[in-house]
Amino acid sequence: TIYVGTKMILLVSSAVTLGLLSTLIEAPLAVKMMGLISFSGLFFFIPNIVLSLRISGRVQNIRRHLPDSVDLLEICVSGGMGIAQAWNAVEEQIRPVCADLADEVALTNLEMHLGADRGSAMRHMAERTGAEELNSLVATLVQSERFGTSLSEALRVFTQSMRELRSQRAEENAEKMAVKMIFPMVSLIFPVILIIAVGPAGITLAGILGGN
C-alpha cells in the first residue's frame, strides 16, 4: 500500500507541478504534453529504482556475510549442538553484524518450528534473499542427512568453496573496474591534462597573433 501510494502521489504531484510550470513557458501544446508525460512518468518510476537499489544492496549484504554464518554454523555443529540449536546460535551471533541475514535465519527457524522440513524452509529463504548459495547449502544438508555423512565436515567444505567463490567475484569486479574507469578518465581527467599541457602554449600563441 505504501509503495503504490508513493508512486501515485509522485505521479499526481509531479503532473500538477509541471502543469502549472508549463503555463509559464511559451511552447506548443504538443511539446508541453510530451514534457508533462515524460517527467511525470520519470517521477512515477522513482520508487521502482529505489526499491531495486535496496534489493540489490540487501542481497549483496547477505551474500557477503553468508560464508561467515555457515562457518559459525559449522563450529556450532562441531561443538555438539543440534542443527536447530546451531541455527538459533547463528541468528543471535550474526544479528549485530548483518541484521538482514539474522531476520532471514529467524524466519527460517520459525518455519521449521511450525512444522516445515529444513530443506523446504531453507529453499524459501533462498527464494526470498535471492542468494543461490543457499540452494547449494540445502543440497549439502539434505545429502549429509540422507547418507549419514559428517555434517560438520560437509559444512567445512561448503564454507571453503563459498570463500573461494567470494574471492573470485572480488577479482572479477576488480578486473571490471579498469573498464569502468575508462569513461570518467576520458571525459574528466583527459581534458584537464590537455588544458594544462596545451593551455600555456595556446595563450602564448594567442598573444603573438594578437600582437601581430
Side-chain angles (χ1 to χ4, degrees):
T1 303
I2 297 175
Y3 176 73
V4 177
T6 303
K7 290 170 68 71
M8 296 306 299
I9 290 174
L10 288 175
L11 177 63
V12 174
S13 60
S14 62
V16 173
T17 303
L18 293 172
L20 294 175
L21 292 176
S22 64
T23 59
L24 305 177
I25 301 174
E26 295 183 0
L29 180 61
V31 175
K32 292 182 179 181
M33 292 300 297
M34 288 297 296
L36 179 63
I37 294 173
S38 300
F39 283 101
S40 298
L42 178 62
F43 278 94
F44 180 76
F45 286 106
I46 286 178
N48 298 67
I49 299 173
V50 174
L51 182 61
S52 298
L53 292 175
R54 293 191 63 181
I55 290 174
S56 177
R58 185 174 185 271
V59 172
Q60 294 300 325
N61 188 31
I62 290 176
R63 281 180 172 174
R64 183 167 56 251
H65 294 92
L66 190 58
D68 298 328
S69 302
V70 179
D71 196 12
L72 179 59
L73 181 65
E74 184 268 327
I75 293 174
C76 294
V77 172
S78 299
M81 286 186 180
I83 188 65
Q85 294 177 336
W87 269 110
N88 292 329
V90 169
E91 175 194 348
E92 295 176 359
Q93 296 298 324
I94 203 66
R95 183 168 294 280
V97 180
C98 182
D100 294 331
L101 182 56
D103 291 338
E104 291 296 337
V105 173
L107 185 55
T108 302
N109 286 333
L110 179 60
E111 287 188 29
M112 289 189 291
H113 290 159
L114 293 177
D117 62 277
R118 186 179 300 111
S120 299
M122 293 189 64
R123 287 189 182 93
H124 295 162
M125 180 179 175
E127 294 174 358
R128 291 192 305 268
T129 59
E132 297 85 357
E133 295 87 349
L134 286 173
N135 289 321
S136 301
L137 178 59
V138 172
T140 300
L141 294 177
V142 171
Q143 291 178 1
S144 179
E145 291 181 355
R146 180 178 300 175
F147 298 107
T149 57
S150 174
L151 181 59
S152 60
E153 182 64 26
L155 290 173
R156 188 178 300 110
V157 174
F158 180 78
T159 304
Q160 182 64 29
S161 65
M162 287 189 63
R163 294 186 185 280
E164 293 176 356
L165 179 61
R166 185 170 60 178
S167 177
Q168 292 174 0
R169 286 176 176 171
E171 293 176 358
E172 181 180 355
N173 292 331
E175 292 176 356
K176 291 180 180 179
M177 190 61 63
V179 179
K180 294 179 180 179
M181 288 294 295
I182 292 177
F183 177 75
M185 288 180 63
V186 172
S187 61
L188 300 177
I189 300 177
F190 181 73
V192 176
I193 296 176
L194 185 63
I195 292 173
I196 294 174
V198 183
I203 294 174
T204 303
L205 182 60
I208 294 174
L209 295 177
N212 294 334

